[in-house]
Amino acid sequence: MRFSIKKILTAIGVILLAIISIGLVCLLLMNLKVVISGFRDALTALRSIVLGFVMAYLLYPLTRFTEHFLLYHKVKKRAARGLSTAFSTFVLLLLIFLFIYFVIPQLLENLPILVQDLPWMIRNAFNQLTGFLQSHGQSTEFLNDIATKITNAFNAWVGGDLIANLMSLLGRVVDVAKSLLNFIIGIIVMVYVLMSRDQFVGQGKKLLFALCRKQSTCDTILKHLRVINKIFSGFVSGKLLDSLIMGILCGVVLSILNVPYPMLISVIVGITNIIPVFGPFFGAIPSALLLLLTDPGKCLVFIIFIIILQQVDGNIIGPKVLGDSTGLSAFWVLFSLLLFNHLMGFWGMLLGVPLFASFYYLLREFINSRLRKKNLPESTNEYIHAAGLNEDGSIHTDEPKLIQFYPLFKGKDSYLSQLKQWFEHPIPKQHTKDSGIIMPPDEKEENSDEPNP
């Protein structure tokens, strides 16, 4: 048997490639922490690029709508692309300017006063609690010790080492400058991505068609990518719009109700509302504690208002803005939040729901494709009472036994009739012969199977 040199060289090449791959995997596992650290450094270096892609993804619906509007009015395609990108960039900068113009001055005005008055507010709250306990004959020494420790710790933190505070302030100024530079570069990247988005999409599909051998594989991948894109875009854009509406409503109503720090509380409520399920609690709890220290009456008003606002958001605003963008039940939403919060921290709380929804969709499509090959139904309701498969491959169902109920008082089968029968014959007749109990003569003759002598 002859072996061609080409087959031998191919086999040697495959073996060498397998050995190198195994070695690289082992090296990767042995230096996993270094690899993760390098990956984080790369993400830090490319933070502006990532920020630009994220902003472009969020502004793409507005840009696409504006471009199609201009094309409908006979504007040339290249001019429509540039004008729509410029309009989206203007909208983004306008929102940032409005936030800086209206919100930042309010925060700068309220935060120093809050920091200055916080020890007094804590002491006042403890004094009221102390007076309540003393009026009911309870000891208040532990409350005084706790209030003194909190006040001293806060004063020590505020009036700490001047040099350390200046160095910390300088570091924060440098971080803000870096963030501002990354944001400016991110806007430039966003403009470039929005202007050249067709080219990026074409390059991605070109790579996909080059790697896939079958046309059906390409079609399936593109179909799944479109659905995942719909899940992410619908959830992220809808949640941002919903949080903006909630923040504006909260600020307007709190200002009308004369609640202290309305702008600060509305910003907290609006930002934390981005997080599903837990977001309203994250925003309401610190705001309620702040109002409890300032004005307990207004704290009660705020709690009642925030409960009403969350009900309006959950039943009216949220469904209208978000719709069923994820397709997840309430249990899986909670599961995804807890899982991705553990894996990714704060970003997991923000993106955990669409990430898990995408995984859930892919898993559901895989299971349904396997069921279709076996000619089995895809509806989950068909499998609730499933007990197994028949020989022909169909599902064998086993309905659960129903609990049998009887009337309470009326009828022969009522519980009252059964109770009367039990009192008349407390011992079942089939057990009397085996238990050796002497029966009455007439009952013994009726139930005896032995012939008379």
Side-chain angles (χ1 to χ4, degrees):
M1 185 176 180
R2 296 182 178 181
F3 295 96
S4 63
I5 298 177
K6 184 177 180 180
K7 291 183 178 179
I8 294 174
L9 293 177
T10 303
I12 293 174
V14 171
I15 294 173
L16 290 177
L17 183 61
I19 293 174
I20 293 173
S21 301
I22 294 172
L24 290 176
V25 171
C26 294
L27 183 63
L28 178 66
L29 294 176
M30 292 174 63
N31 300 277
L32 189 59
K33 292 184 178 180
V34 178
V35 173
I36 294 176
S37 177
F39 182 72
R40 288 179 178 175
D41 293 339
L43 286 180
T44 303
L46 299 176
R47 184 178 300 173
S48 57
I49 305 294
V50 176
L51 179 62
F53 272 91
V54 171
M55 290 190 296
Y57 183 78
L58 294 176
L59 291 177
Y60 170 72
L62 178 62
T63 307
R64 182 173 178 269
F65 174 80
T66 308
E67 182 179 353
H68 285 207
F69 177 80
L70 295 174
L71 291 175
Y72 176 77
H73 289 82
K74 308 303 180 180
V75 180
K76 293 183 179 181
K77 185 175 182 180
R78 187 175 183 84
R81 177 64 57 88
L83 291 174
S84 61
T85 303
F87 177 73
S88 300
T89 307
F90 171 75
V91 171
L92 175 64
L93 295 177
L94 179 63
L95 292 176
I96 295 173
F97 171 77
L98 292 176
F99 180 81
I100 294 174
Y101 183 78
F102 288 104
V103 177
I104 298 299
Q106 293 291 330
L107 297 180
L108 294 178
E109 180 182 354
N110 292 326
L111 282 178
I113 299 175
L114 177 62
V115 171
Q116 182 179 0
D117 295 343
L118 190 59
W120 174 83
M121 293 161 58
I122 295 174
R123 173 62 67 179
N124 185 35
F126 272 96
N127 289 335
Q128 293 181 1
L129 184 59
T130 301
F132 175 78
L133 293 177
Q134 287 179 349
S135 62
H136 289 78
Q138 301 294 328
S139 177
T140 59
E141 294 182 359
F142 69 99
L143 285 178
N144 295 327
D145 295 337
I146 293 174
T148 302
K149 290 180 181 179
I150 293 176
T151 305
N152 293 336
F154 183 81
N155 292 330
W157 175 73
V158 173
D161 189 6
L162 180 61
I163 297 177
N165 292 336
L166 290 176
M167 294 299 294
S168 177
L169 180 62
L170 180 62
R172 294 181 183 276
V173 170
V174 173
D175 292 337
V176 170
K178 289 181 179 179
S179 301
L180 183 61
L181 180 62
N182 289 330
F183 180 74
I184 295 174
I185 298 175
I187 291 180
I188 297 173
V189 172
M190 179 198 72
V191 173
Y192 182 81
V193 171
L194 289 176
M195 290 290 294
S196 306
R197 60 181 183 270
D198 294 337
Q199 185 178 359
F200 284 108
V201 173
Q203 290 174 351
K205 292 182 179 180
K206 181 180 178 180
L207 178 62
L208 177 63
F209 293 157
L211 296 177
C212 297
R213 294 183 179 180
K214 298 180 179 180
Q215 181 182 358
S216 59
T217 305
C218 296
D219 295 339
T220 304
I221 293 175
L222 289 176
K223 172 191 171 185
H224 294 332
L225 288 177
R226 292 189 188 100
V227 175
I228 292 173
N229 173 60
K230 184 179 179 181
I231 292 173
F232 265 89
S233 60
F235 179 82
V236 175
S237 59
K239 200 63 183 175
L240 290 175
L241 180 59
D242 177 54
S243 300
L244 178 62
I245 295 173
M246 289 286 289
I248 294 174
L249 286 177
C250 184
V252 171
V253 176
L254 292 182
S255 299
I256 295 174
L257 297 176
N258 293 324
V259 176
Y261 311 108
M263 190 61 65
L264 177 62
I265 294 175
S266 61
V267 171
I268 294 174
V269 171
I271 292 177
T272 56
N273 193 71
I274 300 175
I275 302 174
V277 181
F278 299 112
F281 300 101
F282 292 159
I285 291 175
S287 302
L289 292 176
L290 176 62
L291 292 176
L292 181 64
L293 296 175
T294 307
D295 189 347
K298 297 296 183 180
C299 175
L300 181 60
V301 172
F302 170 75
I303 292 175
I304 296 173
F305 163 70
I306 208 69
I307 291 174
I308 298 174
L309 184 63
Q310 292 303 327
Q311 292 299 318
V312 172
D313 178 53
N315 296 290
I316 300 176
I317 300 177
K320 293 293 184 182
V321 175
L322 291 173
D324 192 14
S325 57
T326 60
L328 296 177
S329 63
F331 170 78
W332 290 118
V333 169
L334 181 61
F335 176 84
S336 60
L337 288 173
L338 296 176
L339 175 63
F340 284 93
N341 178 46
H342 178 73
L343 296 177
M344 301 170 56
F346 176 74
W347 292 106
M349 296 286 285
L350 292 179
L351 302 177
V353 174
L355 284 173
F356 187 82
S358 303
F359 170 76
Y360 187 87
Y361 162 75
L362 295 175
L363 180 62
R364 183 181 60 203
E365 290 297 313
F366 171 74
I367 293 173
N368 290 338
S369 64
R370 299 286 297 177
L371 292 174
R372 283 192 295 267
K373 290 181 181 180
K374 297 181 178 181
N375 295 323
L376 293 174
E378 299 179 15
S379 177
T380 305
N381 295 328
E382 299 289 338
Y383 297 89
I384 294 177
H385 302 304
L389 294 176
N390 298 322
E391 294 181 357
D392 58 351
S394 60
I395 297 177
H396 171 64
T397 59
D398 185 11
E399 295 291 337
K401 295 181 180 180
L402 299 177
I403 301 175
Q404 188 174 5
F405 294 95
Y406 302 96
L408 293 177
F409 304 106
K410 296 182 179 181
K412 295 181 180 180
D413 296 332
S414 64
Y415 289 108
L416 182 60
S417 298
Q418 294 180 20
L419 185 61
K420 290 180 179 178
Q421 292 177 7
W422 186 83
F423 277 112
E424 292 176 358
H425 303 285
I427 301 174
K429 296 179 181 180
Q430 60 268 22
H431 296 293
T432 54
K433 185 183 294 185
D434 298 334
S435 59
I437 298 176
I438 300 176
M439 299 171 58
D442 55 348
E443 192 171 355
K444 182 176 181 181
E445 291 176 1
E446 291 177 1
N447 293 304
S448 177
D449 296 331
E450 296 180 1
N452 293 326

